[in-house]
Amino acid sequence: MKSKIILFFTILGCFLLQTTVMNGIAIGSVKPNLILILCVSMGLMRGRKSGMWTGFFSGFLIDMFYGSVFGFYALIYMYVGFLGGYAYRIYYDDDVKIPLCLVLGTDFLYNLAVYALQFLLRGRLGLWTYFYRIIIPEMIYTAFLTLIVYRIFYRLNHRFLTETKKERESTWVLK
């Protein structure tokens, strides 16, 4: 229960940082996607289910306050967290190369989904313009932020989850 409360406050903190501080450090109206980093990180460190729920609630907050179509961002971030959870058992948490590659890939897919469902369906066909003005700079900016923020999520996850892991591995706790 403690880890779920910590995860809730982490989601809330990332949402607040994404909507306030990240707007202040935007370069050319491009800002890093902190919530995407959180979804991938939780998927990698806790598994597909936790990554999926983290993505759903993060996207739900965005939809509630800023979304034009309700459920759009919840669905996209849910898939991002689920995809991040596929490498849960096969990589080491302290290595930053795998999260960096996954953040780059999921950021690319995220931006393509936003383009396809928000712009292409409205008849705006400037894919190459959107690609080199929005997608590429956001991928670079988010990857740079991943190098900094992933370590914070890693320490937060291992500090507050060790008790939960010990309880799960105990023979005295009924499943």
Side-chain angles (χ1 to χ4, degrees), residues 24-163:
I25 63 170
I27 298 174
S29 75
V30 173
K31 56 185 178 179
N33 199 337
L34 184 64
I35 295 176
L36 186 116
I37 297 169
L38 174 70
C39 295
V40 169
S41 299
M42 290 303 126
L44 285 171
M45 289 185 269
R46 294 185 177 189
R48 289 186 298 230
K49 190 175 176 183
S50 182
M52 182 178 68
W53 285 110
T54 302
F56 176 75
F57 287 119
S58 300
F60 183 74
L61 281 173
I62 292 174
D63 282 334
M64 218 165 48
F65 290 103
Y66 299 105
S68 58
V69 178
F70 196 71
F72 174 71
Y73 289 104
L75 185 67
I76 289 178
Y77 282 117
M78 186 175 71
Y79 282 133
V80 165
F82 188 74
L83 287 174
Y86 269 106
Y88 169 62
R89 299 224 185 256
I90 58 174
Y91 103 104
Y92 298 110
D93 287 351
D94 55 350
D95 190 21
V96 78
K97 289 179 281 204
I98 299 295
L100 186 65
C101 292
L102 278 171
V103 164
L104 283 171
T106 55
D107 195 18
F108 180 72
L109 293 175
Y110 165 80
N111 282 315
L112 278 182
V114 168
Y115 171 76
L117 297 173
Q118 297 280 337
F119 296 105
L120 189 63
L121 292 179
R122 292 184 192 169
R124 297 181 185 169
L125 301 175
L127 175 65
W128 295 114
T129 305
Y130 188 78
F131 187 73
Y132 74 83
R133 286 194 180 174
I134 303 292
I135 294 177
I136 298 293
E138 185 179 321
M139 284 175 58
I140 294 168
Y141 208 4
T142 304
F144 176 72
L145 189 67
T146 302
L147 295 173
I148 300 166
V149 174
Y150 180 75
R151 301 280 185 204
I152 297 169
F153 290 150
Y154 173 75
R155 288 188 182 113
L156 197 101
N157 184 47
H158 283 284
R159 180 167 182 207
F160 292 110
L161 238 116
T162 53
E163 296 171 10

